[in-house]
Amino acid sequence: MDILFGLALSYHLNFERDYNVLHPHVRIENDYFIAGAYYNSEYRISPYAGVRFERNNHGFELGAAGGYPALGGTVPYIRYTYSLSDKKEIFVAPAGENINGEVTYGIIVGMEVVIEDSKR
């Protein structure tokens, strides 16, 4: 089991509002299972759980994340990652925003850096 502490920087494409771009997080990884919490784009704590699959430098995550009341609270998520090194990766994920009851969709792109990790 690994425990990771990291920081992600994100950019939100096709969104009307301005969102938080700094996302500190903590993650536990055990084989394919992942769980953790991060400071989300809406300035809230988001607990999440899911699975992660990797092949070479490519990663794919699928799960659920909380902390999004405008979208109903807990939302499904999917994320693609590409590892630049052991501690740095870029990512792309679809996302939505709810403005006055109308949901629009966009893309979040970013870079994630592992600040500290410990193998158990």
Side-chain angles (χ1 to χ4, degrees):
M1 178 171 31
D2 295 337
I3 301 172
L4 309 172
F5 297 93
L7 179 66
L9 302 171
S10 66
Y11 183 74
H12 299 74
L13 300 165
N14 196 42
F15 291 98
E16 189 174 317
R17 293 189 176 133
D18 290 325
Y19 290 97
N20 175 40
V21 298
L22 294 172
H23 312 284
H25 71 272
V26 60
R27 171 183 280 190
I28 296 170
E29 297 180 348
N30 191 6
D31 294 323
Y32 295 105
F33 176 74
I34 58 174
Y38 61 95
Y39 191 58
N40 74 22
S41 299
E42 297 180 2
Y43 303 93
R44 291 181 172 86
I45 301 296
S46 281
Y48 69 92
V51 292
R52 177 175 172 87
F53 303 97
E54 296 178 8
R55 182 168 182 167
N56 300 323
N57 290 10
H58 304 275
F60 179 76
E61 297 176 7
L62 180 64
Y68 296 96
L71 296 171
T74 300
V75 297
Y77 84 89
I78 188 170
R79 186 171 91 138
Y80 167 78
T81 63
Y82 182 82
S83 294
L84 301 171
S85 70
D86 286 346
K87 297 196 180 255
K88 191 183 310 178
E89 65 186 16
I90 55 175
F91 64 87
V92 177
E97 72 179 346
N98 184 338
I99 298 177
N100 300 323
E102 184 155 336
V103 177
T104 58
Y105 298 95
I107 296 174
I108 300 172
V109 296
M111 178 177 285
E112 188 170 49
V113 177
V114 173
I115 297 168
E116 181 68 36
D117 63 357
S118 61
K119 301 206 185 269
R120 302 267 180 214

